Amino acid sequence: MAKKKGSMSSKKSGAPVEAAAVEQKAETAKKNTAKAVKEETGAAALKETKAAAKELPKAKAEEAVKEAPAAAVKTEEAVKEVPAAVKTEEAVKEAPAAVKTEEAAKEAPAVAKTEEAVKEAPVAAAEPVETVKKASPAKKTAKPAAEDAPAVKRRSTAKKTSQPEKPAKAAAEDAQTAEPASAAAPEETWVSPRRSVAFIGSECYPFVKTGGLGDVMYALPKELVKQNCDVRVILPRYKCIPWEYHEKMIYRGDFQMDLCADGRSFYVGIMEYVWDGVVYDFIDNEEFFSVGNPYTNLIEDIPRYCYFAKAALAALNYMDWIPDIIHCHDWQAALVPVYLRTQFARTKLTTAKTILTIHNLRFQGIYNIPTISYWSGLPGYVFNMGALKTGYQDANMLKGGLTYANIITTVSQTYAGEIQSPYYGETLDAHLRYHSGKLRGIVNGIDYDIWNPAVDARLYENYDITNVLDKKKENKRKLQEELGLEQDGHKFVIGLISRLTNQKGLDLVNAILPQVMDEHTQFVVLGTGDRVYEDSFRYYENAYKGNVCSNIMYDETRAHRIYAGADALLVPSQFEPCGLTQLIAMHYGTVPIVRETGGLKDTVEPYNMYSNWGNGFTFDRYDAGLLLDAINRAKTFYFENRWCWDEMVQRDMDKDVSWESSAKKYKDLYLELA
Ligand code: ADP
Ligand code: GLC
């Protein structure tokens, strides 16, 4: 790798004139504040800033007002002036804590002891941080975003007209847990306290997405903003991000950062984009992020995500934005908690608490110790069995993150339990059992702005719960037409939208597809992935011309149309941490057929013919015969009991699969931690 390269057109801002003007106003407001505070005319300056801020859009205004007090406490050693890594290294050298940490880390549990050691150490940043806390009434007085948040639309009227009644038992259970009638209750005024959160992860819709992680990195921050959080999402600035977004990014700064064990340093640029109240900061470095879509192979991905994890923290330091919580996602961001408790232990960031969310335990970032040790530049003591070391000579980045994070979450409660067993634990089950005291499961939701059949511009026909039964037929017919399938509204159309990997239960599908295909059935698959599955689905398309369509591609529009046009969606996964496709399917009135594992188990209630209740069809063991049985049950129900099937379609559309309640659980966790 070349020693140093510049950013990708980093200083060029292609933002529209209007946005640039707004940005400039915000900058002026901030500068005025900082200057005035320095001259000890703080109050007046703050007033001026607030006045200036009034002219700005809400998000910018809040940002400007919030940053004002922070400016007042900037010390001479402002992090901006010194590359973070240099400062950190110095600090680590000086700090007795580092020595203690080293000793402590040798014995498990590493994280608890490290934290204790850090607490004991004289923390240079403690004073300014405390001052920031005292001097930030703006945070409290600022109008909470939650007040502005549009309430999640409920289809209560539709429910009244078309929703079937719940069976007596379920209704009685509901009644027991229900709140007393709200008519007399006073209007709710309590607003959850504000918290600041930095999200760090490797993908985020619409910039870059390969699967559900991208959806979560987009939707959860957006919902957290509504629940009174300040959120910054830190992402790599991949070259594969569509140009329309590169164009909108604004240069925020750059610096050099020490990374490798031999002191090799790298350029870190920060490009910013603010959207829907969320600030996106892209870490810019052409050497690391110009190849891949976004991933390539471990040989390249290991250095890339060592760099990314450290650069993300260094960027927060550089911007002097000290969040209450640093929320990291999957192995690509797993070194963040490790860096925070080692090389960044003596920076202001050390006050932040870390959460590491496991979206998929199968991917862990494992390579030999010398390589990860070289690229991360981390101290030797983190490569012990209690932290990064695994097997005889390998290092596991996810394992290290799990050790050092304050809290571990995963994306459903069932998966949180499953991963502590050898079958699902991907060799980390013992490590997870050891850390089970800080492991939680919070199920994902979906973004109702993107996934809303009533307004989804990608659909042939929009619909809601009141007209789904008619409009779905239209969507089905047009989907059949577009895909070159026989146009027959009576056929039972099964969809499958997935990465084509063995996680997704495709071996089962391959084994039984010939038995599923009859003159009443059509099958539509959309996905890319392992060659073996791509080829077998191509084979089936050829073998069942006009009734099987294999779309071996990644196509958002086609995905939306399949969700709307299919009658059922298949998710027979071998393991599924949460799964979003079954949630989207339900919201589009498409009945899920799933294996009872992970989030599939937590989100799809199996149909019970005695109570006529449930959301879909399920099977438990990973067995092709059981999958076939579940599909046949669904088919029989569809053809012989259409009235009840239609009720299930409406029930699924009415089910709350939004982010609202899960985001609240994350918010509660943030409040508990900080
Ligand atoms: P995973 O993250 O394991 O891939 P999820 O169910 O959590 O599975 O998320 C998958 C996401 O990716 C969904 O939003 C789904 O619609 C989308 N998706 C998967 N494959 C494709 C594809 N080929 N084209 C378009 N979207 C896809
Ligand atoms: C992972 C999992 C999937 C989950 C997604 C988002 O890719 O495979 O089950 O829904 O992450 O959390």
Side-chain angles (χ1 to χ4, degrees):
M1 267 183 206
K3 201 148 190 242
K4 184 197 152 190
K5 265 191 195 172
S7 69
M8 293 194 291
S9 61
S10 51
K11 301 202 182 186
K12 239 208 267 166
S13 155
V17 180
E18 212 179 66
V22 167
E23 180 68 23
Q24 206 177 341
K25 276 182 187 176
E27 276 308 315
T28 320
K30 283 183 227 165
K31 273 186 201 151
N32 282 347
T33 313
K35 189 167 155 258
V37 172
K38 263 188 200 158
E39 288 163 8
E40 292 180 3
T41 55
L46 197 55
K47 226 177 181 182
E48 200 184 314
T49 308
K50 280 184 179 163
K54 264 185 204 155
E55 292 170 30
L56 308 175
K58 189 169 169 284
K60 284 257 177 254
E62 278 186 10
E63 201 190 341
V65 172
K66 256 179 271 143
E67 288 191 20
V73 294
K74 267 185 199 156
T75 60
E76 281 304 307
E77 312 88 51
V79 186
K80 276 186 186 172
E81 286 159 31
V82 188
V86 177
K87 286 193 71 175
T88 313
E89 268 180 21
E90 271 171 29
V92 170
K93 264 182 222 152
E94 282 164 31
V99 181
K100 285 190 187 172
T101 312
E102 199 163 341
E103 275 167 27
K106 276 183 194 148
E107 310 150 29
V111 71
K113 301 212 171 178
T114 311
E115 272 179 24
E116 213 174 278
V118 169
K119 262 185 224 153
E120 278 170 39
V123 182
E127 205 186 323
V129 170
E130 211 175 280
T131 328
V132 171
K133 276 192 186 148
K134 276 187 209 149
S136 51
K139 270 191 186 174
K140 285 185 188 146
T141 51
K143 195 178 172 214
E147 280 176 24
D148 288 344
V152 176
K153 281 179 210 144
R154 303 281 306 151
R155 296 190 190 82
S156 48
T157 45
K159 192 178 175 185
K160 269 176 209 143
T161 53
S162 58
Q163 178 62 12
E165 285 300 314
K166 242 185 176 181
K169 184 171 167 268
E173 275 169 12
D174 278 4
Q176 271 180 12
T177 51
E179 295 286 326
S182 60
E187 210 181 297
E188 197 176 320
T189 50
W190 186 82
V191 177
S192 168
R194 201 160 179 85
R195 287 293 179 273
S196 52
V197 192
F199 265 62
I200 305 180
S202 59
E203 51 184 271
C204 178
Y205 176 89
F207 313 112
V208 56
K209 165 180 160 183
T210 68
L213 170 64
D215 291 296
V216 175
M217 288 288 291
Y218 165 74
L220 178 55
K222 208 175 127 202
E223 183 60 38
L224 285 167
V225 166
K226 291 184 194 164
Q227 300 196 13
N228 205 17
C229 286
D230 259 341
V231 194
R232 253 170 214 274
V233 179
I234 305 190
L235 299 163
R237 189 191 183 203
Y238 302 111
K239 201 172 181 180
C240 64
I241 292 173
W243 181 245
E244 57 174 307
Y245 300 111
H246 279 297
E247 266 186 335
K248 288 177 187 147
M249 296 175 194
I250 287 166
Y251 170 77
R252 183 73 205 253
D254 70 81
F255 55 90
Q256 286 290 318
M257 176 186 79
D258 284 356
L259 177 69
C260 302
D262 59 4
R264 200 165 145 196
S265 75
F266 290 88
Y267 170 88
V268 180
I270 308 171
M271 301 292 287
E272 199 161 279
Y273 176 48
V274 185
W275 182 33
D276 264 348
V278 180
V279 181
Y280 296 88
D281 284 314
F282 294 87
I283 301 295
D284 187 18
N285 182 301
E286 216 180 322
E287 287 174 71
F288 287 112
F289 302 133
S290 62
V291 286
N293 201 12
Y295 313 115
T296 52
N297 53 60
L298 278 183
I299 299 172
E300 289 179 329
D301 287 350
I302 293 281
R304 173 183 299 176
Y305 294 110
C306 285
Y307 164 84
F308 174 61
K310 188 166 182 181
L313 287 177
L316 288 174
N317 242 342
Y318 174 87
M319 293 186 287
D320 203 13
W321 198 76
I322 312 301
D324 299 311
I325 303 289
I326 300 181
H327 192 158
C328 316
H329 300 263
D330 272 353
W331 77 267
Q332 295 92 343
L335 285 191
V336 169
V338 188
Y339 279 119
L340 190 68
R341 301 290 169 235
T342 54
Q343 297 189 354
F344 287 75
R346 301 258 306 141
T347 66
K348 284 195 220 171
L349 279 172
T350 196
T351 55
K353 297 282 188 278
T354 52
I355 297 179
L356 177 56
T357 295
I358 304 170
H359 293 266
N360 195 331
L361 192 62
R362 179 151 288 178
F363 307 106
Q364 301 176 4
I366 302 178
Y367 219 78
N368 61 52
I369 291 180
T371 303
I372 294 187
S373 164
Y374 171 75
W375 278 103
S376 67
L378 282 164
Y381 62 79
V382 304
F383 294 92
N384 67 42
M385 283 311 278
L388 270 92
K389 191 173 178 199
T390 187
Y392 292 107
Q393 52 181 9
D394 285 338
N396 179 330
M397 288 164 60
L398 183 69
K399 189 177 173 210
L402 297 174
T403 306
Y404 281 90
N406 293 100
I407 288 281
I408 304 167
T409 69
T410 186
V411 287
S412 68
Q413 277 200 352
T414 294
Y415 194 60
E418 286 174 343
I419 55 179
Q420 297 178 52
S421 71
Y423 183 80
Y424 292 99
E426 307 283 347
T427 74
L428 284 183
D429 48 299
H431 191 66
L432 285 160
R433 283 197 300 278
Y434 183 80
H435 289 287
S436 59
K438 59 174 182 179
L439 171 63
R440 320 269 172 97
I442 301 178
V443 78
N444 289 331
I446 58 169
D447 187 286
Y448 275 17
D449 292 334
I450 293 174
W451 301 107
N452 180 356
V455 294
D456 187 337
R458 287 169 155 133
L459 300 193
Y460 309 107
E461 294 279 338
N462 290 116
Y463 59 92
D464 60 27
I465 198 168
T466 60
N467 58 4
V468 52
L469 302 176
D470 291 333
K471 297 288 180 175
K472 217 168 192 321
K473 283 186 196 136
E474 269 305 288
N475 279 295
K476 185 200 286 198
R477 204 187 55 71
K478 291 199 170 131
L479 179 71
Q480 290 171 326
E481 187 182 341
E482 181 177 324
L483 301 184
L485 294 172
E486 283 174 21
Q487 289 180 50
D488 181 346
H490 299 294
K491 292 208 174 186
F492 182 62
V493 177
I494 304 173
L496 190 154
I497 300 172
S498 176
R499 287 184 293 112
L500 302 182
T501 70
N502 70 348
Q503 169 190 344
K504 300 294 180 177
L506 304 172
D507 296 314
L508 303 188
V509 179
N510 269 336
I512 55 145
L513 204 57
Q515 287 153 276
V516 172
M517 294 311 299
D518 56 24
E519 69 271 32
H520 307 295
T521 310
Q522 290 182 335
F523 185 77
V524 177
V525 59
L526 171 65
T528 56
D530 297 353
R531 186 71 187 269
V532 57
Y533 302 119
E534 292 188 348
D535 285 349
S536 67
F537 284 125
R538 284 195 185 103
Y539 164 81
Y540 282 126
E541 177 174 271
N542 209 32
Y544 299 94
K545 274 211 175 75
N547 285 309
V548 171
C549 179
S550 299
N551 304 271
I552 306 303
M553 61 179 78
Y554 187 93
D555 186 333
E556 289 281 348
T557 301
R558 191 149 292 182
H560 284 242
R561 290 179 176 175
I562 296 172
Y563 285 121
D567 295 298
L569 191 97
L570 212 53
V571 201
S573 307
Q574 190 183 6
F575 71 93
E576 196 61 73
C578 177
L580 299 179
T581 59
Q582 83 281 9
L583 300 181
I584 302 168
M586 286 191 279
H587 201 53
Y588 277 58
T590 303
V591 172
I593 302 173
V594 307
R595 181 167 168 248
E596 290 167 20
T597 183
L600 299 171
K601 187 173 181 186
D602 295 355
T603 57
V604 179
E605 186 180 335
Y607 178 69
N608 179 331
M609 62 187 288
Y610 299 105
S611 59
N612 187 29
W613 200 254
N615 305 108
F617 294 87
T618 70
F619 63 104
D620 52 10
R621 269 182 301 112
Y622 190 69
D623 180 295
L626 295 184
L627 169 62
L628 182 62
D629 179 57
I631 295 175
N632 283 338
R633 274 186 281 131
K635 236 198 246 182
T636 311
F637 192 56
Y638 177 82
F639 285 115
E640 294 183 359
N641 209 342
R642 185 65 61 87
W643 175 256
C644 292
W645 176 277
D646 290 345
E647 280 182 343
M648 178 155 23
V649 166
Q650 290 171 321
R651 194 156 56 237
D652 282 357
M653 285 193 78
D654 197 50
K655 186 176 163 74
D656 182 6
V657 290
S658 75
W659 263 109
E660 199 181 359
S661 65
S662 293
K664 188 171 175 307
K665 289 186 181 135
Y666 279 110
K667 177 73 190 288
D668 289 344
L669 197 55
Y670 300 160
L671 292 174
E672 189 185 315
L673 272 175

